[in-house]
Structure formats: C-alpha cells, structure tokens
Amino acid sequence: MMFARKAIAALFLLSACVEPSPLRQVKPRDLSFGYSNEKVRGVNLGGWFVLEPWITPSIFEEWENGGGVVDEYTYSKKLGQDEAYRRLSKHWNSWITEDDFGQIAQAGLNHVRIPIGYWAVAPLDGDPYVQGQLDILDQAIGWARGAGLKVMIDLHGAPGSQNGFDNSGKYGDVGWQQGDTVSETIDAVRGLAERYASDTEVVTAIQLLNEPLGPVLDLDSIKGFYYDGWGTVRDSNEDVAVAIHDAFQDVKDWNGFMNSDSGTNNVILDTHQYQIFSPDQVARSPDEHVSSACNLGSEQLGSSDKWTIVGEWTAGQTDCAKWLNGLGKGARYDGSYEDSEYVGDCFGKNQGSVSNMPKADKDNLRHYVEAQLDAYEQGSGWIFWTWKTESAPEWHMKELLEEGLFPQPLTSRKYRNQCGY
C-alpha cells in the first residue's frame, strides 16, 4: 500500500481545484476509541515536554529581568546541553506522574493530549535542544494504559517554528515551510507513528502539527503537508486517527477537505478556542463569552463533515496569567500589554490559586466552563488546556476540579441550558 504516493496524488488534484478522489477505496477502520459515537473528554498535559514560561515560571525566573531566555530553544542554548539536560530531566520526571493519570481518569476524563517537540523525535544538527523525552513518554503510555485513558500525541513544535509562539519551542520568526523544514517535520511524524504503532489500544490519535499559523503561512502547502503526513502515518499505522489543526481558519472552511470522500480515513479536525488574545475578546462581558462559545457549537461544530474536537480551551476570560503573552510581557486585560487599554484588574488571576480567586470570578468561570462543555460536545468533544500550572488559576484544571468549578460528574450542570440546545 503506497499511502504516501496516494497522498501526493490527492494533493495534486486538490491544487488543480478538483475534488480529490481516492486511487482506491479507503475503508474506515475500527479504532480503540469510538470517535463517531463517543465524546472526547480530555485534558492537555501542557508544559511537560515543551516548556512554556507561563505554565512553569519557576524554570525561567532567573531570566525574569533579561538575559535573552524566552523559550525552550534559548533556555537550552543558554545553559548548554549538559546543564539543560540535568534540569529538564528532573522536570520531565516530576511535572506529571502516574498519580496525575489516576486523578485524570477519576475525574471522568477519557483522553490526554501530550505535546512534544520535533527535537525529541528527529533532532537536527546544530539545534541546542536536548533529548530524553521519549523514554518518559513511553512510560506515560503505560500509565495511560493502566488508568484506562486514551492518548493523542501532539507534535507541538516544528523546525523553524510553525507560528513563532514560545510554545513551538522557538519564539519569534515563523520559519516553517522554508528550506527542508516541512520534510523534517514529516520525519518527526514518521518517528512517532512507527514508535507507537503497536500501542493503538492506548495511542488513538497522532496530531501532525499544532497551530500552524495559517494567516502567515501558505495554506495550500499546509494542506499538502496534511495529506503527506496522513500518508506517512498510514505507512506504519492504520489503526490510529490522524489529527489536523484548523490553522486558525473557521471550522466550516475545512468541510470537503480530508473527509470520507477524499481518499483518507479517520481524520480529526482540531480547533483551539480562546477568547482572550485580542483587545475585543478580553473586553467581552461574561455573558458575551458564554454566547460566543454557544454560537461556535451551533454554527460550526455541529455542521463539520469530519470528527471535530476543541483540542485546546480554557476557563479564563482574561489574559492575566503571568507571562501568558510571553516572558516579561503584560496583559491586555489590565492594559500592561503593548497597545492595549485597561479593561479590569488582574488581581487574583495573574498568579495564585483557584481557591483564592474572588467569588464573582469563580461564578463566572463555572458559567463559562459549563457553556463550553455543552457547546463543544456539539462536535466530537474537547480537551482542556491544561491539567496543571504553577500559578495560573484560570488554566489549572486540577484545581478547578478541586474547587468545584469544573463539574463532577462532567455531565452535571449548575447552570443548565445556557446555550439553548
């Protein structure tokens, strides 16, 4: 079976503005999770194998006042390989443990999404990154198996950076699609697909790439990469779903692409929904945040022609979390971010615990979480970002559960029928 060749053929037809047709019929295969009839209810394990300063600020505190360290790339370069490995190995072995997997399952969740960078799988000469993550990821697959959880492995960072965000590993320019970066990304996808081909009772999905910045990159090339990535996974693994990100386009814009008529099978569309990264969004009232989430569910998720999940979302209605916008950067909400205007006070939301948040904020969070749960299950489900943080209360699912702001059981509602469906 020459899946990669079929992917190239499908891409050729796509570029010619003709509906792709399969070279042979690709039949749906039974996966170990029923994405057609079960809802994904999961959580991301953020900040584990790909550093993000706002999730674990303690790792970056020595450069709080400068020094040029803003992401994992500059962190590793500054420390050098030996010291970077010493520190990161300690982090990898402590940030998420087997006990976390047990707590996640006990909360009624069925998936974990685990971000990992290309450098852990297919490192490039000259990169400062260190390796060792895959041994811990192997262990995590075993923990998930023991807890009865399914795993989506998410390639979170690509060579050159697919979006310029610090969560790609390298903050700054968007260098993906230049030089050999796309084929190098395919190498990382291949490494993941081959390594976990025998673990499909646990690893039920592989995400080809997190958040390629569609408005900046060439969208047709992103689509070509998705076809080639799907074929690469299928070369070694027929029993896993392949997830693609919406590249910051509307969900409905992906109808007709890599659906059941396209010659591909078992494709998940992943959309990320945050209402906090523009001045207009942080200025919304709590009711407007709820309404926006509900509208997404009714207008887009329910009409997608493929499995569609909201693979990242938050309880936060502000961008107050310390360093959420980058190390040393402020927040739009309180006007401390460049070219922003004051909306409200970040007290209790920039750092601290969920238990210490003001009661009004807690009530707003519970409303918003419940509305999003209802909205996102109009599609194939959801994966919250993130399981834990050091000090960002609006994003800390473990504490939200402990404080009763995330419903238990997950289908219970304190504020029913907010979306009207």
Side-chain angles (χ1 to χ4, degrees):
M1 288 182 288
M2 300 299 293
F3 286 102
R5 184 175 298 171
K6 178 167 57 180
I8 294 170
L11 173 58
F12 174 81
L13 291 172
L14 180 68
S15 65
C17 299
V18 178
E19 182 67 21
S21 58
L23 299 182
R24 65 169 180 77
Q25 183 63 37
V26 179
K27 296 181 180 180
R29 295 176 64 93
D30 290 334
L31 305 179
S32 62
F33 184 84
Y35 289 102
S36 294
N37 48 41
E38 298 179 71
K39 297 299 182 184
V40 174
R41 294 168 178 161
V43 66
N44 286 275
L45 303 183
W48 192 9
F49 299 129
V50 179
L51 295 183
E52 299 191 36
W54 72 272
I55 295 179
T56 53
S58 67
I59 291 178
F60 291 86
E61 278 177 349
E62 63 189 276
W63 301 285
E64 182 170 5
N65 297 315
V69 174
V70 295
D71 52 29
E72 187 162 339
Y73 185 96
T74 51
Y75 176 89
S76 301
K77 186 175 182 179
K78 187 78 169 182
L79 292 176
Q81 295 244 325
D82 291 345
E83 180 63 13
Y85 177 79
R86 186 187 71 79
R87 296 190 190 188
L88 288 176
S89 179
K90 181 178 179 181
H91 169 71
W92 299 332
N93 282 283
S94 60
W95 180 244
I96 299 293
T97 68
E98 184 173 12
D99 185 60
D100 289 300
F101 280 76
Q103 292 181 54
I104 290 166
Q106 189 173 14
L109 300 167
N110 53 36
H111 274 68
V112 290
R113 179 173 177 259
I114 304 181
I116 197 161
Y118 77 88
W119 55 90
V121 190
L124 300 176
D125 291 342
D127 275 351
Y129 300 112
V130 297
Q131 288 71 51
Q133 303 92 329
L134 288 180
D135 290 340
I136 314 300
L137 179 57
D138 292 347
Q139 191 173 48
I141 302 305
W143 294 340
R145 182 180 288 109
L149 294 168
K150 305 304 183 184
V151 174
M152 174 185 287
I153 300 176
D154 152 45
L155 190 64
H156 215 69
S161 179
Q162 73 276 18
N163 51 37
F165 306 156
D166 58 14
N167 59 48
S168 71
K170 190 175 184 182
Y171 174 81
D173 295 334
V174 180
W176 193 64
Q177 294 186 338
Q178 298 178 20
D180 295 326
T181 54
V182 174
S183 63
E184 290 163 350
T185 308
I186 290 291
D187 289 341
V189 169
R190 181 180 297 107
L192 291 172
E194 292 177 351
R195 189 179 186 97
Y196 298 107
S198 63
D199 294 301
T200 54
E201 83 286 3
V202 180
V203 179
T204 56
I206 292 174
Q207 183 152 11
L208 300 178
L209 187 59
N210 179 69
E211 295 184 350
L213 195 57
V216 171
L217 295 164
D218 183 87
L219 190 58
D220 285 340
S221 294
I222 293 174
K223 291 179 177 180
F225 164 75
Y226 285 164
Y227 270 111
D228 286 345
W230 178 89
T232 298
V233 172
R234 289 287 173 265
D235 283 341
S236 60
N237 193 332
E238 294 190 40
D239 298 317
V240 67
V242 175
I244 61 173
H245 183 259
D246 66 8
F248 302 100
Q249 312 297 304
D250 284 346
V251 168
K252 61 186 178 183
D253 292 343
W254 292 90
N255 283 344
F257 178 78
M258 294 187 82
N259 61 8
S260 58
D261 297 325
S262 70
T264 61
N265 64 353
N266 295 335
V267 173
I268 298 172
L269 179 64
D270 172 28
T271 183
H272 297 171
Q273 296 297 320
Y274 297 120
Q275 297 184 40
I276 55 173
F277 290 119
S278 74
D280 289 343
Q281 289 176 330
V282 295
R284 291 173 183 169
S285 69
D287 286 344
E288 287 171 334
H289 281 291
V290 166
S291 178
S292 180
C294 293
N295 289 341
L296 178 82
S298 60
E299 296 174 6
Q300 297 206 49
L301 296 179
S303 59
S304 178
D305 66 357
K306 59 184 68 65
W307 300 328
T308 301
I309 63 168
V310 178
E312 291 187 20
W313 60 283
T314 176
Q317 299 177 31
T318 76
D319 63 337
C320 286
K322 179 181 178 180
W323 297 345
L324 179 63
N325 295 304
L327 195 152
K329 298 183 184 296
R332 296 170 185 84
Y333 189 75
D334 67 0
S336 59
Y337 187 78
E338 59 184 358
D339 298 325
S340 63
E341 296 182 1
Y342 181 87
V343 176
D345 194 337
C346 281
F347 174 76
K349 295 185 279 289
N350 61 332
Q351 284 186 290
S353 64
V354 174
S355 61
N356 290 329
M357 293 182 70
K359 183 179 184 304
D361 288 340
K362 291 181 179 180
D363 290 342
N364 288 334
L365 292 189
R366 176 77 189 227
H367 273 93
Y368 189 37
V369 165
E370 289 190 8
Q372 289 182 95
L373 293 177
D374 290 342
Y376 303 157
E377 292 201 7
Q378 295 299 297
S380 302
W382 47 267
I383 305 177
F384 186 85
W385 189 279
T386 182
W387 175 242
K388 60 186 287 193
T389 72
E390 287 182 344
S391 60
E394 295 180 298
W395 300 76
H396 197 309
M397 187 181 192
K398 184 173 182 287
E399 286 193 356
L400 290 169
L401 284 161
E402 291 168 352
E403 294 298 317
L405 302 186
F406 214 106
Q408 288 288 279
L410 295 170
T411 53
S412 70
R413 295 292 180 267
K414 186 176 181 180
Y415 306 107
R416 295 186 177 278
N417 203 34
Q418 291 188 88
C419 291
Y421 48 73

